[in-house]
Amino acid sequence: QVQLVESGGGFVQAGGSLRLSCAASGRIFSINLMGWYRQAPGDERELVATITNGGTATYVDSVKGRFTVSRDNAKDTVYLQMNSLKPEDTAVYYCHVLHSDGDSEYSYWGQGTQVTVSS
């Protein structure tokens, strides 16, 4: 079982920055993919960014050039640096990991952290 604890959400004015963190703990064997999703009221959850254990990152087009995903494999932690924030970035942000125990792969989610960007 893997637990994810997120931190770093909050309230910021448009153009500002926030940094989200998500630390994994528990019986960790191998975390293959780490990433962030977000869900605004009335919308479906959408993928924001992912990063492989080799450091390859992907982003949804709407955040390219503004957000940076990174990870510290020694700490089993993933980060999301969000710059030039816009009101449309307002959402609950969820950390997600794909964990392998050597036989199977399992999906885990964080509890979510609110990000609110005012205009």
Side-chain angles (χ1 to χ4, degrees):
Q1 190 76 5
V2 174
Q3 295 81 43
L4 302 176
V5 177
E6 302 174 19
S7 61
F11 182 92
V12 65
Q13 291 188 331
S17 299
L18 285 173
R19 188 189 193 216
L20 306 182
S21 300
C22 173
S25 62
R27 299 185 65 179
I28 296 173
F29 183 76
S30 176
I31 297 179
N32 298 330
L33 191 69
M34 306 184 85
W36 295 91
Y37 287 70
R38 66 186 179 187
Q39 187 168 19
D43 291 345
E44 295 187 353
R45 191 172 296 189
E46 69 164 351
L47 174 66
V48 177
T50 62
I51 185 166
T52 67
N53 53 10
T56 300
T58 60
Y59 301 91
V60 67
D61 286 346
S62 60
V63 307
K64 286 180 179 178
R66 301 187 298 120
F67 291 11
T68 302
V69 62
S70 60
R71 63 189 283 176
D72 184 333
N73 290 331
K75 297 181 179 179
D76 294 317
T77 299
V78 62
Y79 307 94
L80 186 67
Q81 178 66 43
M82 303 184 292
N83 298 328
S84 302
L85 282 160
K86 303 176 181 180
E88 51 264 43
D89 295 317
T90 295
V92 178
Y93 283 69
Y94 296 91
C95 172
H96 175 259
V97 303
L98 287 177
H99 174 260
S100 171
D101 64 2
D103 293 318
S104 301
E105 199 167 60
Y106 302 90
S107 179
Y108 294 94
W109 293 91
Q111 79 280 7
T113 185
Q114 178 70 46
V115 171
T116 302
V117 184
S118 67
S119 57

